[in-house]
Amino acid sequence: MQEHIVIIGNGISGVTTARHIRKASDKKITIISSETDYFFSRTALMYVYMGHMKYEHTKPYEDYFWKKNRIDLKRAFVKNVDHQNKQLHLSGGEQMSYDKLVLAVGSKPNKFGWPGENLNGVQGLYSKQDLDLLEKNAPNNETCKRAVVVGGGLIGIEMVEMLLTRDIPVTFLVREHSFWNSVLPEGESAMLNRHIKSHHVDLRLGVNLESIQGDAQGNVTSIIIKETGEEIACDVVGLTAGVTPNVDFLKNSGIGIGRGVKVNPMLETNIKDIYAIGDCAEQHEGINGRRPIEAVWYTGRMMGEALAQTLTGNPTPYNPGHWFNSAKFMDIEYQTYGWVFAKPKAGNTHFHWIHKDDDKCITIEMEETSRTFLGINNFDIRLRHELLDKWLTEGRSTDYVLEHLKDANFDPEFYKHYESEILEAYNKAYGTSIVPKKKSWKRIFA
């Protein structure tokens, strides 16, 4: 009898699993989602609101792709999992049986019990429904005369940028004393503070939300800042203080739950034939020093690829390799490879360079005595992922990395480069006399 693999969640991790199972087998595959009929690029949702593309353009595959590849799509909400009988109970009373189950149910925006957090006009920014809600709540600056965004992370800055494209004034409440300084070193965080303010954002640092006020119709009217008692009138409040795994429906299922669904490196839960991947999966222990939960697009894809191998007869542990990520802070692109902490770990040090225009910088974390290269953050300077990954694996020195920085530079030919300025600063800081090597395509593709 044909094995039936059911995947709950049609995000990047669930869809990657389905595609790779189909490439390697003839198994019956069903994807269940309550969010949308078809897979879309979650990271592109902001560009729909900003008018750069239509929602249809966020779908990487044509709608006929799924039928052609014999992947059944089911629009439904899973109420609970009966693992003893291998049954799913869906909204509306329907049931579905499975042979193997993949939980790829993603995250949901955090709420912290703020008074007024359920008023009309208060929302997160994660799902297609959130995008639709923002279009309704803040279509223009006549309906939304001011918005307040709470939470100084990547989702928060995205929401601020989205609202600014419709000329909606924004107050940005950040709990920390500098933007994202729990992740970024001081120099980078300070540069972003200045950049955010240069876009006429009312950036409030070191403050917390006390409450959200509403009118008799249940609509948002203002927020109160905890530290000062200041009341700020607004029509929309964006709650973007992080996300948490979307696992409430599994709490009485017998499946091991921590903050997320507990899994081992094979992405197996404590229940036979049930697996978890993506934002909702929580490793018992972080792999290679990484966090147990990584709500990042590419890790969901990598988990999906690994699990599909296992489900088609080639057991494959999840191995995320060296940490990397990328994002955008309004006009400034950001990449990170390896480990660069907000403050260097014991025995390590930081080299920081910032351009005089105040919109480009790098920070390198290295071992203090050997100057072994451990990671780099780069803002508005693109570097080649594969080469940085290779240098990290080879344990190269920072001297070597900077000497060959032209190899790593990914900018098009006619863009200005900054290797000489960076090396001049490094030589001055460490008493070296390193000269940049000419770019070598032979080394790049070696």
PDB file of all heavy atoms in Angstrom, residues 349-373:
ATOM      1  N   THR A 349      38.168  39.134  20.105  1.00  0.00           N
ATOM      2  CA  THR A 349      38.120  40.583  19.981  1.00  0.00           C
ATOM      3  C   THR A 349      37.415  40.961  18.694  1.00  0.00           C
ATOM      4  O   THR A 349      37.198  40.104  17.824  1.00  0.00           O
ATOM      5  CB  THR A 349      39.552  41.173  20.016  1.00  0.00           C
ATOM      6  OG1 THR A 349      39.483  42.594  20.097  1.00  0.00           O
ATOM      7  CG2 THR A 349      40.341  40.782  18.770  1.00  0.00           C
ATOM      8  N   HIS A 350      37.047  42.231  18.559  1.00  0.00           N
ATOM      9  CA  HIS A 350      36.374  42.739  17.364  1.00  0.00           C
ATOM     10  C   HIS A 350      37.275  43.709  16.622  1.00  0.00           C
ATOM     11  O   HIS A 350      37.930  44.550  17.242  1.00  0.00           O
ATOM     12  CB  HIS A 350      35.091  43.495  17.738  1.00  0.00           C
ATOM     13  CG  HIS A 350      33.921  42.593  18.016  1.00  0.00           C
ATOM     14  ND1 HIS A 350      32.724  43.060  18.502  1.00  0.00           N
ATOM     15  CD2 HIS A 350      33.765  41.249  17.843  1.00  0.00           C
ATOM     16  CE1 HIS A 350      31.886  42.053  18.642  1.00  0.00           C
ATOM     17  NE2 HIS A 350      32.482  40.946  18.265  1.00  0.00           N
ATOM     18  N   PHE A 351      37.267  43.611  15.305  1.00  0.00           N
ATOM     19  CA  PHE A 351      37.788  44.680  14.454  1.00  0.00           C
ATOM     20  C   PHE A 351      36.587  45.323  13.770  1.00  0.00           C
ATOM     21  O   PHE A 351      35.775  44.631  13.141  1.00  0.00           O
ATOM     22  CB  PHE A 351      38.760  44.129  13.396  1.00  0.00           C
ATOM     23  CG  PHE A 351      39.019  45.123  12.288  1.00  0.00           C
ATOM     24  CD1 PHE A 351      39.737  46.294  12.535  1.00  0.00           C
ATOM     25  CD2 PHE A 351      38.524  44.899  11.001  1.00  0.00           C
ATOM     26  CE1 PHE A 351      39.952  47.224  11.516  1.00  0.00           C
ATOM     27  CE2 PHE A 351      38.736  45.820   9.987  1.00  0.00           C
ATOM     28  CZ  PHE A 351      39.445  46.986  10.240  1.00  0.00           C
ATOM     29  N   HIS A 352      36.455  46.660  13.913  1.00  0.00           N
ATOM     30  CA  HIS A 352      35.297  47.361  13.349  1.00  0.00           C
ATOM     31  C   HIS A 352      35.773  48.476  12.443  1.00  0.00           C
ATOM     32  O   HIS A 352      36.671  49.255  12.805  1.00  0.00           O
ATOM     33  CB  HIS A 352      34.449  47.950  14.494  1.00  0.00           C
ATOM     34  CG  HIS A 352      33.247  48.718  14.024  1.00  0.00           C
ATOM     35  ND1 HIS A 352      32.176  48.114  13.419  1.00  0.00           N
ATOM     36  CD2 HIS A 352      32.963  50.045  14.076  1.00  0.00           C
ATOM     37  CE1 HIS A 352      31.263  49.029  13.123  1.00  0.00           C
ATOM     38  NE2 HIS A 352      31.718  50.215  13.501  1.00  0.00           N
ATOM     39  N   TRP A 353      35.184  48.547  11.264  1.00  0.00           N
ATOM     40  CA  TRP A 353      35.464  49.640  10.320  1.00  0.00           C
ATOM     41  C   TRP A 353      34.140  50.220   9.864  1.00  0.00           C
ATOM     42  O   TRP A 353      33.190  49.477   9.582  1.00  0.00           O
ATOM     43  CB  TRP A 353      36.241  49.110   9.110  1.00  0.00           C
ATOM     44  CG  TRP A 353      36.324  50.106   7.973  1.00  0.00           C
ATOM     45  CD1 TRP A 353      37.247  51.085   7.806  1.00  0.00           C
ATOM     46  CD2 TRP A 353      35.427  50.212   6.850  1.00  0.00           C
ATOM     47  NE1 TRP A 353      37.003  51.800   6.657  1.00  0.00           N
ATOM     48  CE2 TRP A 353      35.885  51.280   6.045  1.00  0.00           C
ATOM     49  CE3 TRP A 353      34.299  49.500   6.446  1.00  0.00           C
ATOM     50  CZ2 TRP A 353      35.244  51.664   4.868  1.00  0.00           C
ATOM     51  CZ3 TRP A 353      33.649  49.879   5.270  1.00  0.00           C
ATOM     52  CH2 TRP A 353      34.118  50.951   4.491  1.00  0.00           C
ATOM     53  N   ILE A 354      34.062  51.549   9.817  1.00  0.00           N
ATOM     54  CA  ILE A 354      32.855  52.198   9.324  1.00  0.00           C
ATOM     55  C   ILE A 354      33.246  53.266   8.314  1.00  0.00           C
ATOM     56  O   ILE A 354      34.239  53.981   8.502  1.00  0.00           O
ATOM     57  CB  ILE A 354      32.018  52.790  10.482  1.00  0.00           C
ATOM     58  CG1 ILE A 354      30.701  53.375   9.953  1.00  0.00           C
ATOM     59  CG2 ILE A 354      32.803  53.829  11.265  1.00  0.00           C
ATOM     60  CD1 ILE A 354      29.695  53.688  11.060  1.00  0.00           C
ATOM     61  N   HIS A 355      32.496  53.360   7.247  1.00  0.00           N
ATOM     62  CA  HIS A 355      32.780  54.332   6.196  1.00  0.00           C
ATOM     63  C   HIS A 355      32.327  55.721   6.634  1.00  0.00           C
ATOM     64  O   HIS A 355      31.371  55.857   7.407  1.00  0.00           O
ATOM     65  CB  HIS A 355      32.044  53.914   4.909  1.00  0.00           C
ATOM     66  CG  HIS A 355      32.436  54.702   3.705  1.00  0.00           C
ATOM     67  ND1 HIS A 355      31.686  55.755   3.232  1.00  0.00           N
ATOM     68  CD2 HIS A 355      33.513  54.609   2.880  1.00  0.00           C
ATOM     69  CE1 HIS A 355      32.273  56.265   2.155  1.00  0.00           C
ATOM     70  NE2 HIS A 355      33.381  55.580   1.915  1.00  0.00           N
ATOM     71  N   LYS A 356      32.994  56.746   6.100  1.00  0.00           N
ATOM     72  CA  LYS A 356      32.678  58.121   6.504  1.00  0.00           C
ATOM     73  C   LYS A 356      31.241  58.518   6.156  1.00  0.00           C
ATOM     74  O   LYS A 356      30.665  59.421   6.778  1.00  0.00           O
ATOM     75  CB  LYS A 356      33.657  59.103   5.856  1.00  0.00           C
ATOM     76  CG  LYS A 356      33.592  59.107   4.344  1.00  0.00           C
ATOM     77  CD  LYS A 356      34.602  60.068   3.727  1.00  0.00           C
ATOM     78  CE  LYS A 356      34.491  60.038   2.207  1.00  0.00           C
ATOM     79  NZ  LYS A 356      35.469  60.923   1.551  1.00  0.00           N
ATOM     80  N   ASP A 357      30.629  57.848   5.170  1.00  0.00           N
ATOM     81  CA  ASP A 357      29.243  58.164   4.807  1.00  0.00           C
ATOM     82  C   ASP A 357      28.229  57.630   5.822  1.00  0.00           C
ATOM     83  O   ASP A 357      27.027  57.880   5.705  1.00  0.00           O
ATOM     84  CB  ASP A 357      28.909  57.610   3.423  1.00  0.00           C
ATOM     85  CG  ASP A 357      29.636  58.360   2.319  1.00  0.00           C
ATOM     86  OD1 ASP A 357      30.196  59.433   2.622  1.00  0.00           O
ATOM     87  OD2 ASP A 357      29.652  57.865   1.175  1.00  0.00           O
ATOM     88  N   ASP A 358      28.694  56.823   6.774  1.00  0.00           N
ATOM     89  CA  ASP A 358      27.862  56.323   7.867  1.00  0.00           C
ATOM     90  C   ASP A 358      26.755  55.364   7.397  1.00  0.00           C
ATOM     91  O   ASP A 358      25.687  55.283   7.995  1.00  0.00           O
ATOM     92  CB  ASP A 358      27.219  57.504   8.624  1.00  0.00           C
ATOM     93  CG  ASP A 358      26.817  57.127  10.044  1.00  0.00           C
ATOM     94  OD1 ASP A 358      27.432  56.196  10.600  1.00  0.00           O
ATOM     95  OD2 ASP A 358      25.886  57.745  10.584  1.00  0.00           O
ATOM     96  N   ASP A 359      27.013  54.652   6.295  1.00  0.00           N
ATOM     97  CA  ASP A 359      26.028  53.673   5.846  1.00  0.00           C
ATOM     98  C   ASP A 359      26.673  52.344   5.438  1.00  0.00           C
ATOM     99  O   ASP A 359      26.010  51.482   4.867  1.00  0.00           O
ATOM    100  CB  ASP A 359      25.185  54.236   4.690  1.00  0.00           C
ATOM    101  CG  ASP A 359      26.037  54.641   3.490  1.00  0.00           C
ATOM    102  OD1 ASP A 359      27.278  54.463   3.544  1.00  0.00           O
ATOM    103  OD2 ASP A 359      25.465  55.141   2.507  1.00  0.00           O
ATOM    104  N   LYS A 360      27.958  52.205   5.696  1.00  0.00           N
ATOM    105  CA  LYS A 360      28.674  50.960   5.388  1.00  0.00           C
ATOM    106  C   LYS A 360      29.618  50.658   6.531  1.00  0.00           C
ATOM    107  O   LYS A 360      30.301  51.562   7.026  1.00  0.00           O
ATOM    108  CB  LYS A 360      29.499  51.081   4.103  1.00  0.00           C
ATOM    109  CG  LYS A 360      28.702  51.427   2.870  1.00  0.00           C
ATOM    110  CD  LYS A 360      29.615  51.729   1.709  1.00  0.00           C
ATOM    111  CE  LYS A 360      28.800  52.250   0.533  1.00  0.00           C
ATOM    112  NZ  LYS A 360      28.171  53.567   0.837  1.00  0.00           N
ATOM    113  N   CYS A 361      29.648  49.401   6.944  1.00  0.00           N
ATOM    114  CA  CYS A 361      30.615  49.035   7.977  1.00  0.00           C
ATOM    115  C   CYS A 361      30.791  47.529   7.987  1.00  0.00           C
ATOM    116  O   CYS A 361      29.987  46.787   7.403  1.00  0.00           O
ATOM    117  CB  CYS A 361      30.180  49.543   9.354  1.00  0.00           C
ATOM    118  SG  CYS A 361      28.781  48.704  10.094  1.00  0.00           S
ATOM    119  N   ILE A 362      31.863  47.086   8.602  1.00  0.00           N
ATOM    120  CA  ILE A 362      32.053  45.657   8.860  1.00  0.00           C
ATOM    121  C   ILE A 362      32.531  45.491  10.302  1.00  0.00           C
ATOM    122  O   ILE A 362      33.146  46.393  10.873  1.00  0.00           O
ATOM    123  CB  ILE A 362      33.081  44.982   7.914  1.00  0.00           C
ATOM    124  CG1 ILE A 362      34.488  45.523   8.173  1.00  0.00           C
ATOM    125  CG2 ILE A 362      32.687  45.121   6.462  1.00  0.00           C
ATOM    126  CD1 ILE A 362      35.579  44.673   7.541  1.00  0.00           C
ATOM    127  N   THR A 363      32.219  44.339  10.875  1.00  0.00           N
ATOM    128  CA  THR A 363      32.805  43.949  12.153  1.00  0.00           C
ATOM    129  C   THR A 363      33.246  42.501  12.024  1.00  0.00           C
ATOM    130  O   THR A 363      32.471  41.654  11.551  1.00  0.00           O
ATOM    131  CB  THR A 363      31.789  44.068  13.300  1.00  0.00           C
ATOM    132  OG1 THR A 363      31.310  45.417  13.370  1.00  0.00           O
ATOM    133  CG2 THR A 363      32.431  43.691  14.637  1.00  0.00           C
ATOM    134  N   ILE A 364      34.477  42.236  12.399  1.00  0.00           N
ATOM    135  CA  ILE A 364      35.012  40.871  12.372  1.00  0.00           C
ATOM    136  C   ILE A 364      35.261  40.428  13.800  1.00  0.00           C
ATOM    137  O   ILE A 364      35.835  41.175  14.597  1.00  0.00           O
ATOM    138  CB  ILE A 364      36.336  40.814  11.569  1.00  0.00           C
ATOM    139  CG1 ILE A 364      36.052  41.077  10.084  1.00  0.00           C
ATOM    140  CG2 ILE A 364      37.030  39.463  11.758  1.00  0.00           C
ATOM    141  CD1 ILE A 364      37.302  41.153   9.225  1.00  0.00           C
ATOM    142  N   GLU A 365      34.791  39.224  14.131  1.00  0.00           N
ATOM    143  CA  GLU A 365      35.139  38.629  15.431  1.00  0.00           C
ATOM    144  C   GLU A 365      36.255  37.626  15.194  1.00  0.00           C
ATOM    145  O   GLU A 365      36.187  36.811  14.253  1.00  0.00           O
ATOM    146  CB  GLU A 365      33.924  37.951  16.093  1.00  0.00           C
ATOM    147  CG  GLU A 365      34.263  37.334  17.453  1.00  0.00           C
ATOM    148  CD  GLU A 365      33.153  37.438  18.471  1.00  0.00           C
ATOM    149  OE1 GLU A 365      32.222  38.219  18.274  1.00  0.00           O
ATOM    150  OE2 GLU A 365      33.244  36.732  19.508  1.00  0.00           O
ATOM    151  N   MET A 366      37.294  37.694  16.018  1.00  0.00           N
ATOM    152  CA  MET A 366      38.452  36.803  15.859  1.00  0.00           C
ATOM    153  C   MET A 366      39.018  36.434  17.228  1.00  0.00           C
ATOM    154  O   MET A 366      38.749  37.127  18.217  1.00  0.00           O
ATOM    155  CB  MET A 366      39.535  37.492  15.025  1.00  0.00           C
ATOM    156  CG  MET A 366      40.110  38.747  15.676  1.00  0.00           C
ATOM    157  SD  MET A 366      41.294  39.590  14.618  1.00  0.00           S
ATOM    158  CE  MET A 366      40.530  41.217  14.515  1.00  0.00           C
ATOM    159  N   GLU A 367      39.795  35.348  17.235  1.00  0.00           N
ATOM    160  CA  GLU A 367      40.504  35.008  18.465  1.00  0.00           C
ATOM    161  C   GLU A 367      41.575  36.074  18.700  1.00  0.00           C
ATOM    162  O   GLU A 367      42.284  36.471  17.766  1.00  0.00           O
ATOM    163  CB  GLU A 367      41.141  33.625  18.340  1.00  0.00           C
ATOM    164  CG  GLU A 367      40.119  32.497  18.363  1.00  0.00           C
ATOM    165  CD  GLU A 367      40.758  31.119  18.281  1.00  0.00           C
ATOM    166  OE1 GLU A 367      41.997  31.049  18.215  1.00  0.00           O
ATOM    167  OE2 GLU A 367      40.007  30.138  18.260  1.00  0.00           O
ATOM    168  N   GLU A 368      41.693  36.505  19.950  1.00  0.00           N
ATOM    169  CA  GLU A 368      42.529  37.669  20.240  1.00  0.00           C
ATOM    170  C   GLU A 368      44.015  37.404  19.982  1.00  0.00           C
ATOM    171  O   GLU A 368      44.711  38.246  19.415  1.00  0.00           O
ATOM    172  CB  GLU A 368      42.326  38.096  21.696  1.00  0.00           C
ATOM    173  CG  GLU A 368      42.934  39.442  22.017  1.00  0.00           C
ATOM    174  CD  GLU A 368      42.321  40.054  23.260  1.00  0.00           C
ATOM    175  OE1 GLU A 368      41.678  39.310  24.024  1.00  0.00           O
ATOM    176  OE2 GLU A 368      42.467  41.273  23.452  1.00  0.00           O
ATOM    177  N   THR A 369      44.500  36.224  20.370  1.00  0.00           N
ATOM    178  CA  THR A 369      45.941  35.969  20.232  1.00  0.00           C
ATOM    179  C   THR A 369      46.313  35.477  18.831  1.00  0.00           C
ATOM    180  O   THR A 369      47.262  35.968  18.225  1.00  0.00           O
ATOM    181  CB  THR A 369      46.407  34.951  21.289  1.00  0.00           C
ATOM    182  OG1 THR A 369      45.556  33.792  21.225  1.00  0.00           O
ATOM    183  CG2 THR A 369      46.332  35.543  22.675  1.00  0.00           C
ATOM    184  N   SER A 370      45.567  34.534  18.305  1.00  0.00           N
ATOM    185  CA  SER A 370      45.911  33.970  16.990  1.00  0.00           C
ATOM    186  C   SER A 370      45.295  34.750  15.834  1.00  0.00           C
ATOM    187  O   SER A 370      45.688  34.573  14.697  1.00  0.00           O
ATOM    188  CB  SER A 370      45.417  32.521  16.916  1.00  0.00           C
ATOM    189  OG  SER A 370      44.000  32.479  16.951  1.00  0.00           O
ATOM    190  N   ARG A 371      44.345  35.599  16.119  1.00  0.00           N
ATOM    191  CA  ARG A 371      43.557  36.340  15.123  1.00  0.00           C
ATOM    192  C   ARG A 371      42.866  35.399  14.124  1.00  0.00           C
ATOM    193  O   ARG A 371      42.674  35.726  12.953  1.00  0.00           O
ATOM    194  CB  ARG A 371      44.416  37.383  14.402  1.00  0.00           C
ATOM    195  CG  ARG A 371      44.921  38.489  15.304  1.00  0.00           C
ATOM    196  CD  ARG A 371      45.130  39.807  14.574  1.00  0.00           C
ATOM    197  NE  ARG A 371      46.194  39.804  13.619  1.00  0.00           N
ATOM    198  CZ  ARG A 371      47.453  40.169  13.885  1.00  0.00           C
ATOM    199  NH1 ARG A 371      47.782  40.546  15.113  1.00  0.00           N
ATOM    200  NH2 ARG A 371      48.362  40.173  12.949  1.00  0.00           N
ATOM    201  N   THR A 372      42.502  34.189  14.609  1.00  0.00           N
ATOM    202  CA  THR A 372      41.724  33.267  13.776  1.00  0.00           C
ATOM    203  C   THR A 372      40.361  33.881  13.480  1.00  0.00           C
ATOM    204  O   THR A 372      39.687  34.378  14.384  1.00  0.00           O
ATOM    205  CB  THR A 372      41.534  31.910  14.491  1.00  0.00           C
ATOM    206  OG1 THR A 372      42.821  31.347  14.733  1.00  0.00           O
ATOM    207  CG2 THR A 372      40.705  30.954  13.646  1.00  0.00           C
ATOM    208  N   PHE A 373      39.966  33.851  12.235  1.00  0.00           N
ATOM    209  CA  PHE A 373      38.714  34.446  11.762  1.00  0.00           C
ATOM    210  C   PHE A 373      37.526  33.607  12.246  1.00  0.00           C
ATOM    211  O   PHE A 373      37.450  32.398  11.994  1.00  0.00           O
ATOM    212  CB  PHE A 373      38.743  34.490  10.232  1.00  0.00           C
ATOM    213  CG  PHE A 373      37.492  34.978   9.580  1.00  0.00           C
ATOM    214  CD1 PHE A 373      37.075  36.289   9.728  1.00  0.00           C
ATOM    215  CD2 PHE A 373      36.732  34.119   8.786  1.00  0.00           C
ATOM    216  CE1 PHE A 373      35.923  36.738   9.098  1.00  0.00           C
ATOM    217  CE2 PHE A 373      35.581  34.561   8.152  1.00  0.00           C
ATOM    218  CZ  PHE A 373      35.176  35.878   8.314  1.00  0.00           C
TER     219      PHE A 373
END
